[in-house]
Structure formats: structure tokens, C-alpha cells
Amino acid sequence: MEQAVLDRVAQLIRAPAADIFRPSATLKQPIKHVFIIVLESIRADAVPLNESLANAVNLNFTSDTTAETVTPLLSSLWMNSVRTIASVASSYTLKSLLSIFCGIYPINVNFLKEANPENILYEKCLPELLREFFPTNNNESIFNSAFFTAARDDFDHQREIIDKMKFDTVRSASNIYAEVGYVSDLGMFGPADPYILPLLWKWIDQNLAEQPTKHLMTSLLITGTHEPFPMPHNQREDEYHYYIYEAHINGYLNALHITDKLIKEIIDGFISRHLYNDTLFVITSDHGYVFNDHGREILGLLSTPLESAFSVPLILHNPHLEAKQLNGQFTTMDILPTIMDVLLSSIKSAEHPTNQLLSVPSHKLQSILSRYEGTSVLRMPIAQQPARHTFQLSNPGNSYIVVKQYPRKLTYDVANDQVHLYHLGYDPLELVDLIALDHAITASHPPWVDILCDKSRIRKWKGLWQNEKVNTATQHNLLFENKTLLSIEKSNAINNSSVHLMDMLDWADQAFEVARLWKNLVKQRYHYNSDVVSV
């Protein structure tokens, strides 16, 4: 029975099965190279910029502020790409990189314990996976991989975790200093982002000069949009724009505007090198950012479970990839399977000239989708499946645990041992904690909540999270016999005129137990404290 419970949890935390033979987009030419750009702190309503960011702080943008004036390049890419909104696995950058590059969850502990030598990454990260799937005749790889950032890599074991991902080449601030001498910091982490570009072009040019047939997997972490959102030292005063009359957000948008220019320079560099048509550009962010949204006194990311901390843009761009808006509950853990889907589909010229994605070796793609918990966003899900469960860890990793099965969201406040429950369909701003509703004051209940519920049914979660004792029979009942988790949700529609509180509380019971099992399962996979953690 215990193994059955674990298998059930493993099933619940996977993305819904994909229909390999039903692509959700069209790719007209094969892809040779991949370039992953990870922006710092870019929330979903910042790229492309839209009114929800201004509404979140109850202000207006200035009259000439549009998505095109703040981020002309990124806004153009958005409209000419496969695009969607994704959730990150953590609002702590280095943990989030694990989900992007390795397709795995981080551990719900504070800071980067995943980098410890005794803890293993429980699946291969993209650089190593490319070596496995794309070998040469002499058992090398057709891919060279590299990770670039202008930031110093000595913060919280950053270099150690990047080394664990097994990139062929890593370049950071120390390499900038070696090339040009000391450069003063811009912001918190090191030199300004443009200083890394000469090293990036040097690596690309040298690789292709030595082996013109080589495939490149390049990645770049851009930190210029990290708080405190500094302006470049050589920035003229008249180059500072007034997008909104709130200093912190305006600084953020100015930093984003400068980053947009940097990305344009990168795209132009690929065009001039005749690499643009052969490259899949993947652009996303490590996490969002919170600007005292909707009256909350929360600025930044520390210990906040709000959606704006976790929702980010995801752009897949290539001139031969059909532009399309995708709607679904995607996460950054889907990036690795999606990249592998594109590259496997590009092994040979299309047997179906209309869509390269129809040429994928199905057994190889299926092996990826069976191995990783994410999915390819370029494949339609098989119909009639339960909505996926996703988990997020609030900065620095063990402050809030968030579990979602859209539109239902449960947050667990670790420090205060408190559970909160929201329905994002009716309450996207997370203003109504369904657990905290006072049953006696019906006038205060929102009209979309059917409150009819025996008060004795209100759950008692206090102390359960830290309790390592497992009642397998209770878990079996929650995960198998109660059918709430098996219900099929319509992610983009609200089907009922009201939410039944009893159903939400039943789901919260199950989701809380799934989260407890999930945190232990992830720790076991990493071999984290394996001598004491037991499921």
C-alpha cells in the first residue's frame, strides 16, 4: 500500500500525458542550435507590459507608455513566437535554474543545499542529456554547451550548481576581469550585463570556426533587472524614462528597457553570423516580482506566495516556428522537454514538409516525457485527464510551500504553521482565504462561495507538516477513494456559478497530504538527509 501511495503521488505531480502525434504548433525547418535567455525578476505582466501591472499598484502608466516603448524587441518577439505564461518552481533564482535547465524540482529547504556534494541532481540536466541523445560516431556529442553571466558566481554556491549541470564551458564575472581587468559593479552581483557579450561571441565564433557542423546550446543569465534596478554608469540623464510615477516600478521598467536593447544586440549578432534561422531562442525569467500588489505590504520576493512572484513569460522563437499563443498550466519545468522535442524533431528533414514536429522519433520523445515531470508545450495533451499539480517554493526555499491544481491553490506558511486556500478562477488576486471565512457572518461571504458546510468539517492542519509519521491508510483514502483529485478541471473557464466550500476543503485535505509526500519524495531523490527522511 505504501508503494501504491508513492506511485500515486508520482503520478499526480507529472504533467498530463501528451499526444505525440498532435503538435500544437508548426515548425517548417529543422533547428540546429538553442539559446536560452533567463531574465531576472520579470513578472508575466511586464513582458509584454500590460495594464495589470499598473492596476496591481493602483496607478496609471504615463500617456506614451506602451509595451512597444518599454520593450520594443521583446514585445515584437512575443507576437511573433510561440508564447505563454509559465509558473516557476521557486522564487529563489538558483533553485529556479534547476527547473529550467534540469526539469526537476528543487528541495524545500532554505538556500542552495542542492549544490552540496552529497546531494545528487535526480535527472540529467540539458547539457548532459544532449550528449546522451546526440552522440557523434566517436561517442562524443554534436553539441557544445555553455553558460554565461556577467554576475559573480560566488553567491550561495552558484558555481557549484552550474558545474553540477555539466556545461562544457562556464563564463562569469571572473572571466570578464581576466579579459579586461577590474570592472566596477552595477547592482548587487557584478559587472553590467553587456560585459559578458564579447566572451559569448568569442565562444560561438571559435566553436564554429573549429567545427562548422557543431551544434551549440548557449545559455545566458541576465541580472540587470534585479533589484535595486540600477542604471548603467554611462547612462545620460535624458535617457531615463518616466513610465509610471512610482520610483521603484519606474526603475524596474527602465532596467527592463535597457535589457531589451541587450537582447536586440544578441539577436542582431545571431543574424550577422547567419545563425538566426537555425536557432531556437527560449526566453523566460527565473521568477516574478511583487510591488506591494493590491494593497499588500510586500515588496520583493522574500516569503511571499503571491502569483506575481511565480508567473513569468515564456517565449519560443524561431522564424520557422509558427507564432501562436498557448493557453494552459505550463511551468518552467516544461522547457527541457520542449527543447528536446524540437531537437529530436530536427534530426532529419521533415517527412511531412508542412511540419517538422511530425517527424519526431516518437519512442525517443516518449522516453523524455516518461522520464521528466514536465511536458512539451508543443504537443497537445491527451483529452480527459486530471489537471496537473504544480509546486512552488517561496524565496529562500522553505518559507511558503504552494501547491496548485488550477484553479485551486493551497499555500502553507512554514514559519507560522498555517494553511491558506484560494480559488484563482473567481479570486485571481488571492484576497479571499476560504479557510478563514467566518461561517457565522454570511454577509461577508463573497457571492461565488457556497458556504453550506458543517463547521465541524473545518480541518485542523496544525502540526501535521512537521510530523514525519505516516498514516498509510489515511493517505490511501485521501489519494484513491476520495475522488476530488480525479476531477477534470477546465483551466480557462469557470463552469459553475459558485464554489462549494466543502469541495474546496476536501481538495485542501488532499493537496496538503500530497505536498507532504512530495517534499519527502524530492528529498529522497536528491539523497538529502537520506538517513533520516522517510516516506
Side-chain angles (χ1 to χ4, degrees):
M1 186 182 291
E2 183 174 312
Q3 188 58 49
V5 167
L6 292 177
D7 291 344
R8 177 72 176 125
V9 171
Q11 175 192 350
L12 291 170
I13 68 178
R14 299 186 64 81
D19 187 341
I20 291 175
F21 302 104
R22 292 180 62 217
S24 58
T26 300
L27 177 65
K28 295 181 179 178
Q29 297 290 336
I31 297 292
K32 185 176 180 181
H33 310 293
V34 176
F35 193 173
I36 304 172
I37 299 176
V38 181
L39 307 174
E40 171 69 54
S41 302
I42 302 304
R43 47 191 276 167
D45 53 11
V47 173
L49 186 67
N50 62 74
E51 288 295 329
S52 69
L53 176 53
N55 293 339
V57 292
N58 199 28
L59 293 171
N60 296 312
F61 294 123
T62 56
S63 59
D64 58 348
T65 297
T66 65
E68 290 70 29
T69 58
V70 178
T71 55
L73 187 279
L74 284 170
S75 297
S76 175
L77 285 181
W78 178 266
M79 294 306 300
N80 292 284
S81 304
V82 171
R83 58 198 183 271
T84 192
I85 303 301
S87 294
V88 300
S90 176
S91 55
Y92 188 75
T93 298
L94 300 178
K95 288 179 179 288
S96 182
L97 294 183
L98 286 167
S99 65
I100 294 171
F101 291 113
C102 308
I104 60 177
Y105 276 114
I107 312 173
N108 72 297
V109 292
N110 288 331
F111 306 111
L112 200 64
K113 301 299 190 292
E114 295 87 347
N116 292 346
E118 64 272 20
N119 299 325
I120 65 167
L121 304 186
Y122 63 86
E123 284 294 353
K124 290 182 178 179
C125 301
L126 188 56
E128 190 175 11
L129 194 63
L130 293 175
R131 295 184 202 108
E132 176 185 337
F133 274 77
F134 299 98
T136 62
N137 291 332
N138 58 355
N139 208 29
E140 295 182 352
S141 174
I142 65 173
F143 276 92
N144 273 357
S145 62
F147 179 88
F148 292 89
T149 183
R152 290 184 298 274
D153 54 11
D154 56 355
F155 176 76
D156 192 15
H157 306 288
Q158 176 177 319
R159 183 57 184 250
E160 289 89 336
I161 201 64
I162 298 300
D163 286 344
K164 272 194 170 186
M165 295 179 189
K166 300 188 178 178
F167 286 92
D168 296 315
T169 300
V170 178
R171 295 287 182 266
S172 62
S174 60
N175 303 101
I176 295 173
Y177 302 146
E179 289 279 329
V180 301
Y182 177 73
V183 177
S184 60
D185 286 0
L186 181 69
M188 297 175 62
F189 297 113
D193 292 311
Y195 280 99
I196 199 64
L197 290 192
L199 280 73
L200 185 149
W201 298 131
K202 180 179 180 181
W203 179 80
I204 289 175
D205 294 340
Q206 285 183 347
N207 268 279
L208 295 181
E210 294 169 2
Q211 296 178 282
T213 60
K214 202 72 176 177
H215 296 224
L216 303 180
M217 194 285 278
T218 315
S219 56
L220 173 64
L221 173 62
I222 295 176
T223 61
T225 46
H226 191 286
E227 61 179 342
F229 319 125
M231 293 296 99
H233 301 307
N234 60 354
Q235 176 104 346
R236 300 196 315 269
E237 187 174 337
D238 61 357
E239 292 179 310
Y240 187 81
H241 303 276
Y242 289 92
Y243 299 118
I244 191 170
Y245 291 111
E246 199 284 331
H248 208 64
I249 303 175
N250 199 59
Y252 174 77
L253 294 178
N254 272 271
L256 180 54
H257 181 70
I258 291 168
T259 295
D260 187 79
K261 292 180 179 179
L262 179 73
I263 298 174
K264 184 180 187 305
E265 185 177 347
I266 291 169
I267 296 292
D268 289 344
F270 271 73
I271 292 172
S272 68
R273 288 166 171 80
H274 307 289
L275 299 173
Y276 175 69
N277 289 341
D278 297 328
T279 302
L280 175 68
F281 294 90
V282 180
I283 303 174
T284 191
S285 183
D286 53 352
H287 47 68
Y289 197 83
V290 181
F291 292 103
N292 298 316
D293 289 35
H294 306 290
R296 269 76 161 223
E297 294 184 0
I298 301 172
L299 180 64
L301 294 165
L302 189 64
S303 301
T304 174
L306 295 179
E307 285 294 286
S308 52
F310 296 104
S311 294
V312 299
L314 174 58
I315 298 172
L316 306 172
H317 180 75
N318 176 272
H320 301 298
L321 181 62
E322 171 196 22
K324 189 173 185 180
Q325 172 81 46
L326 299 180
N327 297 309
Q329 299 307 307
F330 300 114
T331 81
T332 51
M333 292 176 67
D334 299 329
I335 290 174
L336 180 149
T338 302
I339 290 172
M340 292 300 294
D341 185 359
V342 170
L343 295 177
L344 288 170
S345 298
S346 301
I347 290 176
K348 55 185 177 180
S349 297
E351 298 171 0
H352 306 271
T354 57
N355 194 350
Q356 191 79 36
L357 295 173
L358 293 171
S359 299
V360 69
S362 57
H363 64 289
K364 290 188 176 183
L365 178 56
Q366 187 58 57
S367 72
I368 294 293
L369 299 180
S370 299
R371 187 165 156 182
Y372 292 84
E373 286 148 355
T375 188
S376 170
V377 304
L378 300 178
R379 304 286 165 176
M380 299 292 290
I382 294 172
Q384 303 299 299
Q385 296 182 82
R388 74 192 294 186
H389 282 70
T390 59
F391 301 86
Q392 286 89 37
L393 304 176
S394 292
N395 187 314
N398 194 34
S399 55
Y400 275 87
I401 315 298
V402 179
V403 54
K404 288 191 296 186
Q405 190 188 30
Y406 188 86
R408 299 170 292 198
K409 174 177 179 176
L410 181 143
T411 69
Y412 175 65
D413 179 348
V414 177
N416 295 304
D417 193 21
Q418 293 179 346
V419 179
H420 307 279
L421 179 63
Y422 304 95
H423 192 287
L424 298 176
Y426 287 100
D427 180 29
L429 306 184
E430 302 167 75
L431 300 175
V432 180
D433 179 1
L434 296 174
I435 290 175
L437 288 179
D438 190 328
H439 291 239
I441 310 176
T442 56
S444 67
H445 303 155
W448 49 268
V449 178
D450 179 355
I451 203 72
L452 294 177
C453 178
D454 180 356
K455 191 172 183 180
S456 67
R457 293 282 288 124
I458 299 299
R459 278 49 169 195
K460 304 296 183 184
W461 288 284
K462 210 75 173 169
L464 287 179
W465 184 262
Q466 300 299 336
N467 184 0
E468 294 295 345
K469 294 181 180 179
V470 172
N471 186 327
T472 308
T474 299
Q475 289 176 345
H476 193 275
N477 177 63
L478 284 170
L479 302 182
F480 289 89
E481 296 177 20
N482 191 315
K483 302 302 182 185
T484 306
L485 283 176
L486 300 178
S487 63
I488 298 168
E489 296 286 350
K490 300 294 185 183
S491 296
N492 299 298
I494 301 172
N495 300 313
N496 303 311
S497 59
S498 63
V499 171
H500 296 285
L501 181 60
M502 181 72 75
D503 291 342
M504 289 294 292
L505 291 173
D506 284 341
W507 178 82
D509 256 352
Q510 297 167 320
F512 184 83
E513 198 60 36
V514 169
R516 288 184 68 220
L517 290 164
W518 167 81
K519 62 136 178 173
N520 282 356
L521 184 63
V522 172
K523 286 179 178 179
Q524 283 191 342
R525 288 173 169 177
Y526 276 93
H527 296 178
Y528 179 79
N529 286 351
S530 56
D531 55 330
V532 296
V533 175
S534 178
V535 177

